Amino acid sequence: MFLLLAIAAGAFDLPTGPVWAQEQQSQQPAPSAAQQPAQPQPAQPQKPQPEATQLANGLLDRAASDLDAAKKQFATLADSAKQSASDDETLVALSGKADTLNRSVAGITGTLKPRFDEINARLTQLGDPPKQGQPPEAAIVTQERDRLIAERTQINAVMGDADNLTAATSRLSGNLMEMRRELFTETLFKRTEVSASMLDDAGAAFVQEIGEFSGALASWATFVWKFKQVSLFTSVLLSLAAALIFLSGGYRLFGRYFQRDETIENPSYISRLSIAFWSTTIRTLSLTAFLVTSYFFLSNFNVLRPDIAPVMAAVFGLIGFVYFVGRVINAVFTPFQPHWRLVKLSNKGAYSLGWCLLAMTIVNGLDFVLNRVSESLGSPVVVTVAKSFVASLIIGLIFIAASFGKPILAKNGDPDAPGRHWPHGMAIILRVIGFLLIFTAMIGYVGLARFIAGQLIVTSAVIVTMYLGIQLGKAVSSQETFPETKLARFLEKRFKIGEVALDQAGLVAGLAIYAFALMTGIPLILLSWGFHIQDLELFAYRLFTEIKLGNISISLVGIFAGVLFFLGGYLITRWFQRWLDGNVMARGQIDMGVRNSVKTGIGYLGVAVAAIIGISAAGIDLSSLALVASALSVGIGFGLQNIVSNFVSGLILLVERPFKVGDWIVSGTSEGIVKRISVRATEIETFRKQSIIVPNSELINASLGNWTHRNRLTRAEIPVSVSYDCDPQKVMDILLELVHQVPKVLRNPEPHVEFLRFGPFSLDFEMRFYLADLSDGMPIKNNLRIAILQRFKTEGITIPYPTQELNIRQDQLQPSFVEVPADAVETPAETPAEPVVATDREEAPTIAANERHEVQSRAGRRRGG
């Protein structure tokens, strides 16, 4: 597509210029000696000392030889620039060669620089020679210093010469650019006298040109039909095969986006955009493949004659460019399908505006083809000027006519209704452009008018296509849009991709469409405005290999390589972690905590190494980060204390391992299982499945309990209380019997039962036993409690519970209430209480006794007695 549109863009060639419009051409007649870049004088390397013979035969000898060859090439380039000041194509080629020479000379300096630094480092180690009055040094040290100094002198001479040559090539590149710019300006603003006699002469010459070209075309066709039939049909078949392969691949990938479904009355904007963009791009590229391969095969099979080849290239360019503009018009305006239209135009407005654009494209293309015919036949320049003059007038009139149209959609939204006029500002712009083209051509600046007209068409078509691509990318990357497309549903069904992943895929697809639109459109616009492909190649090379920001040189290729190295190191680290954990530590039955610590340490180490390798591969000098490190240290001293404290604490936890992943720890109010230990914080999962993120510094600086620090052995206790009527020994025997029946209870240490105390209303015992795994404690204790309760019921052993007795004493007919502590009262069924009544009179005991009896009865009923 680049090549075809570059050829098509040649439709805007200047009538008198050797090539189509160049933005940075310049004409500079044979420069004087003062204007020529100063050619560096040949280096006069010093005669090597005997000690430097080995070097002179090696690295320095090769560098000097390469430098001499570079000087000869520079002299050739300077002479060629002087002789080709009016040929833009040659100047472009020379500019590329000068840039290549500049890089090669810089490479010579780069090969010597490491050795130069090595010599300086060694001389620093040797030190200065002893001064007068100081003890003499060893002879071998003196000899080595002299040899190194002589070697450094030679390298200095060659490097200085290379630097001079680098500066000279840079000046030569600048001069070439200035020559191209001046040549472009002179060609573009060259004035031609436009008069009736000039047009008459041009008409007569044009008629003669048609006759000559018809004869040449007929003779060529006869020759091809008689002697080149096989080559002709082979070229066409191969070109068709290339186009069909491209088109079939495009239909296979994007076929569903080519055809508009007429049954859809109100298609979504993304559907309209996608069909417009992909149908325009894929079909245009398919035709481009056919045209480019056709020209390639016809040229290589010697079917085209030298006088026919440029005309055939122009015809192919005309076909491709007209088809491209037609596809853009059909994609954006869709004259006969208003519900698929991307702009708010009426049907009549879309139809008329599309024909105006297509007419201007055809006029530009025909002018380009006819100019190529004139160049091929060597016709007078007046013919080319007249053609461009007529083309500029026609295009200007089309602009003016279009400004009076009514293409805007009616307010009621009916596409069949008569449209509205252009916005006032847009109509004025169209008329100004039209009158400017006509006026510029009428006063004699035909080349300028022709250039402006051509660029308006090409640039507009490319910008519209880029706009479609950018809008499509924006629509695809918008949230929750891509998952609703057919492609997303296919991916979801085929690869079982979730909605979140599809949304992220939509973002990536949108960015890819952005990149495709920009990387396709921007070079085409630059080519149409006069840049050569060599200019774009040079710009791309400098963009990807060397971007100067002050004294810092950034390489996009280096950055990309650094990112790839980092990702590669990261993936290798993750793979090694999994391999080491699954194939080495797991087979060695290493503790999970140790495995986690080793994996974490290897992970951080691998990422650090990958980062260093990536930064180095990106061309960033690590020593330049010293300033950043110093500034970071100040930040650590003030604002990053907690972060650094947690980081160091995390390293201590990984090394000392006071707890490990899977341990049951208690820290402050947090209790649970350790799930992850990182260098900043530790994740603890409680028994209610809540994740608590605890900073490592808190775990280091505060007391911490670890139930599983050395082992999972634990002691479990079950308190048991029985009534005073029970036999303590029998209770202890029953408890021991029950605990010995549990398989997971350890026999060493032996389970035992402790008679703890005489309680206020019970005899208190505690059964103690050990378990190998503390996680078994809860279910075993539950089962033992159930077994104890059932066994006590069978043996008739009762378990008491707290009681309370209220005694009422009456003093002089006024009852006195005395609350007796609960631990001093037994239940009536077990320990009948003696009446305790205090009175001041002899005649009150019966009343007090009755009241006490009634209170005790109510208490007994509440207890269930």
Side-chain angles (χ1 to χ4, degrees):
M1 186 174 181
F2 287 100
L3 179 59
L4 176 60
L5 293 180
I7 295 174
F12 319 120
D13 189 16
L14 300 178
T16 57
V19 294
W20 54 281
Q22 304 293 326
E23 181 184 2
Q24 295 181 340
Q25 297 173 339
S26 66
Q27 177 183 9
Q28 180 174 344
S32 62
Q35 294 175 324
Q36 287 294 322
Q39 300 186 14
Q41 297 297 325
Q44 301 293 335
Q46 299 180 1
K47 183 177 180 181
Q49 301 294 328
E51 296 84 353
T53 303
Q54 183 178 0
L55 177 67
N57 293 333
L59 182 64
L60 185 62
D61 199 15
R62 290 192 301 270
S65 176
D66 294 340
L67 188 59
D68 290 339
K71 289 178 180 179
K72 294 178 181 178
Q73 186 178 358
F74 173 82
T76 303
L77 290 177
D79 293 339
S80 300
K82 181 178 179 180
Q83 298 172 4
S84 306
S86 60
D87 188 352
D88 183 73
E89 294 289 344
T90 304
L91 293 178
V92 170
L94 292 176
S95 180
K97 292 179 180 179
D99 187 75
T100 303
L101 177 62
N102 187 283
R103 293 195 298 269
S104 65
V105 175
I108 295 174
T109 304
T111 58
L112 295 175
K113 190 67 167 60
R115 178 57 182 169
F116 184 79
D117 295 338
E118 182 182 347
I119 291 175
N120 285 334
R122 181 56 181 161
L123 288 175
T124 302
Q125 294 177 353
L126 294 177
D128 296 331
K131 298 180 180 179
Q132 186 176 4
Q134 294 181 346
E137 62 183 1
I140 188 172
V141 175
T142 303
Q143 293 176 1
E144 183 178 4
R145 182 186 294 106
D146 294 341
R147 181 181 62 81
L148 292 175
I149 292 175
E151 185 177 335
R152 185 177 63 178
T153 302
Q154 297 178 62
I155 294 177
N156 258 329
V158 175
M159 290 176 63
D161 214 4
D163 291 339
N164 293 334
L165 184 57
T166 301
T169 53
S170 298
R171 290 193 298 271
L172 177 61
S173 297
N175 290 338
L176 290 172
M177 187 67 68
E178 183 64 26
M179 293 166 66
R180 291 183 58 202
R181 186 178 295 109
E182 293 181 2
L183 179 60
F184 170 76
T185 303
E186 180 183 355
T187 305
L188 189 61
F189 289 93
K190 185 176 181 179
R191 188 175 181 275
T192 304
E193 186 68 30
V194 178
S195 61
S197 59
M198 185 272 291
L199 295 177
D200 290 339
D201 295 340
F206 181 66
V207 173
Q208 182 180 358
E209 178 185 281
I210 292 177
E212 293 178 359
F213 181 71
S214 299
L217 188 62
S219 64
W220 171 74
T222 303
F223 169 77
V224 170
W225 185 254
K226 288 183 178 180
F227 303 104
K228 294 289 185 178
Q229 286 187 17
V230 176
S231 300
L232 176 64
F233 287 112
T234 302
S235 302
V236 173
L237 289 176
L238 291 175
S239 303
L240 284 174
L244 289 175
I245 291 174
F246 197 94
L247 188 61
S248 62
Y251 267 95
R252 179 177 293 274
L253 294 176
F254 308 102
R256 67 187 66 188
Y257 302 111
F258 284 7
Q259 302 297 331
R260 298 182 176 93
D261 190 353
E262 296 296 333
T263 61
I264 302 177
E265 296 183 358
N266 189 21
S268 62
Y269 188 69
I270 187 174
S271 299
R272 290 180 283 164
L273 272 174
S274 61
I275 289 178
F277 181 72
W278 293 116
S279 62
T280 300
T281 305
I282 299 301
R283 288 174 177 171
T284 303
L285 289 176
S286 300
L287 180 63
T288 301
F290 171 72
L291 296 175
V292 172
T293 53
S294 295
Y295 184 80
F296 174 79
F297 289 126
L298 289 174
S299 298
N300 282 272
F301 291 161
N302 296 322
V303 177
L304 299 177
R305 287 191 328 210
D307 58 333
I308 298 298
V311 178
M312 189 64 67
V315 172
F316 285 173
L318 171 64
I319 295 172
F321 188 63
V322 170
Y323 180 80
F324 168 64
V325 174
R327 293 306 313 170
V328 172
I329 293 172
N330 184 68
V332 178
F333 298 153
T334 57
F336 305 105
Q337 296 172 312
H339 54 289
W340 287 94
R341 195 168 295 152
L342 293 175
V343 291
K344 294 181 179 181
L345 299 177
S346 63
N347 288 341
K348 185 177 180 180
Y351 183 79
S352 59
L353 191 58
W355 271 110
C356 287
L357 295 175
L358 193 61
M360 287 189 289
T361 304
I362 294 174
V363 170
N364 273 289
L366 288 177
D367 181 59
F368 173 65
V369 174
L370 294 177
N371 286 341
R372 284 292 178 266
V373 172
S374 299
E375 292 179 7
S376 177
L377 298 178
S379 301
V381 176
V382 68
V383 178
T384 303
V385 174
K387 294 174 186 176
S388 298
F389 175 77
V390 173
S392 300
L393 292 181
I394 294 175
I395 294 174
L397 292 174
I398 293 176
F399 270 105
I400 295 173
S403 67
F404 291 98
K406 299 179 179 180
I408 305 302
L409 186 66
K411 291 183 178 181
N412 58 9
D414 184 9
D416 294 323
R420 294 175 292 160
H421 286 286
W422 290 100
H424 187 65
M426 187 65 183
I428 292 177
I429 291 175
L430 292 176
R431 291 167 193 169
V432 169
I433 292 175
F435 282 116
L436 180 63
L437 292 176
I438 295 175
F439 177 75
T440 305
M442 293 293 294
I443 63 176
Y445 292 100
V446 179
L448 179 60
R450 188 69 189 84
F451 177 77
I452 295 174
Q455 304 322 302
L456 288 174
I457 302 300
V458 176
T459 305
S460 299
V462 176
I463 288 177
V464 169
T465 307
M466 289 176 59
Y467 172 78
L468 293 178
I470 292 173
Q471 288 296 108
L472 176 60
K474 182 179 179 180
V476 169
S477 61
S478 61
Q479 191 173 6
E480 298 181 358
T481 300
F482 182 74
E484 301 299 327
T485 61
K486 295 180 180 179
L487 177 61
R489 288 194 290 269
F490 169 77
L491 295 175
E492 182 180 9
K493 182 179 179 181
R494 179 69 180 274
F495 301 103
K496 308 298 181 184
I497 300 177
E499 185 174 353
V500 176
L502 287 176
D503 193 62
Q504 294 175 347
L507 179 60
V508 175
L511 294 176
I513 295 174
Y514 285 153
F516 179 79
L518 294 175
M519 294 179 66
T520 304
I522 291 177
L524 291 177
I525 293 175
L526 293 177
L527 287 172
S528 68
W529 283 91
F531 284 86
H532 275 274
I533 295 179
Q534 293 90 334
D535 296 328
L536 300 182
E537 292 176 350
L538 180 60
F539 174 77
Y541 178 83
R542 290 178 176 176
L543 175 65
F544 286 101
T545 58
E546 186 178 6
I547 300 176
K548 291 289 188 180
L549 298 176
N551 295 328
I552 302 176
S553 179
I554 300 176
S555 170
L556 295 183
V557 174
I559 293 175
F560 182 71
V563 172
L564 289 181
F565 274 107
F566 175 77
L567 292 178
Y570 178 81
L571 294 177
I572 291 174
T573 300
R574 290 291 179 254
W575 170 83
F576 183 73
Q577 282 181 296
R578 291 193 297 269
W579 177 85
L580 184 65
D581 183 60
N583 294 275
V584 178
M585 293 190 292
R587 292 184 181 182
Q589 298 182 355
I590 298 176
D591 181 76
M592 284 296 299
V594 177
R595 291 166 59 179
N596 178 74
S597 298
V598 172
K599 285 173 58 179
T600 304
I602 290 176
Y604 286 117
L605 179 62
V607 170
V609 173
I612 294 174
I613 294 175
I615 292 173
S616 300
I620 300 175
D621 188 5
L622 293 178
S623 61
S624 62
L625 300 178
L627 182 60
V628 178
S630 61
L632 185 61
S633 63
V634 176
I636 290 174
F638 288 98
L640 304 179
Q641 294 180 1
N642 291 334
I643 295 177
V644 174
S645 176
N646 290 326
F647 179 80
V648 175
S649 300
L651 297 178
I652 293 174
L653 291 177
L654 291 174
V655 174
E656 288 190 356
R657 299 179 62 246
F659 57 84
K660 57 187 179 298
V661 173
D663 280 0
W664 179 354
I665 66 173
V666 180
S667 175
T669 59
S670 303
E671 179 177 3
I673 306 300
V674 178
K675 290 297 182 181
R676 188 173 65 90
I677 305 173
S678 65
V679 293
R680 192 198 70 83
T682 297
E683 179 183 350
I684 301 174
E685 184 179 85
T686 65
F687 299 106
R688 300 175 64 183
K689 299 302 179 182
Q690 179 191 26
S691 293
I692 299 178
I693 310 300
V694 182
N696 290 329
S697 58
E698 294 186 8
L699 300 176
I700 289 292
N701 299 325
S703 299
L704 181 140
N706 188 347
W707 285 97
T708 55
H709 179 48
R710 302 189 184 279
N711 52 57
R712 300 184 66 83
L713 180 68
T714 185
R715 191 187 78 174
E717 300 90 9
I718 300 179
V720 178
S721 297
V722 299
S723 66
Y724 276 87
D725 295 338
C726 300
D727 183 5
Q729 187 60 47
K730 182 179 180 180
V731 172
M732 296 174 63
D733 293 340
I734 291 173
L735 294 178
L736 288 175
E737 179 185 350
L738 292 175
V739 75
H740 280 97
Q741 292 176 0
V742 180
K744 291 187 176 181
V745 173
L746 298 179
R747 299 300 181 264
N748 187 18
E750 184 73 16
H752 60 283
V753 177
E754 299 290 341
F755 190 167
L756 294 180
R757 70 182 66 83
F758 294 97
F761 58 89
S762 63
L763 302 177
D764 296 333
F765 299 86
E766 186 173 78
M767 181 170 60
R768 300 174 180 176
F769 53 91
Y770 288 86
L771 299 173
D773 192 341
L774 80 165
S775 61
D776 297 331
M778 188 62 69
I780 290 177
K781 289 194 290 185
N782 287 340
N783 295 333
L784 276 174
R785 290 190 184 100
I786 294 173
I788 292 171
L789 185 60
Q790 293 175 350
R791 184 65 177 274
F792 279 7
K793 287 183 179 181
T794 302
E795 298 292 338
I797 300 175
T798 59
I799 299 177
Y801 47 87
T803 60
Q804 185 176 12
E805 184 172 291
L806 180 63
N807 292 331
I808 300 175
R809 301 182 64 179
Q810 186 175 9
D811 185 12
Q812 296 181 357
L813 300 180
Q814 296 296 326
S816 175
F817 296 93
V818 178
E819 184 175 352
V820 181
D823 57 1
V825 181
E826 294 292 343
T827 60
E830 298 176 356
T831 310
E834 294 295 334
V836 180
V837 181
T839 60
D840 293 333
R841 297 183 180 182
E842 294 293 339
E843 59 269 16
T846 303
I847 299 175
N850 291 337
E851 290 176 344
R852 182 180 65 125
H853 177 71
E854 183 179 352
V855 172
Q856 289 180 344
S857 297
R858 286 199 301 268
R861 284 195 298 272
R862 284 197 301 271
R863 293 193 301 267

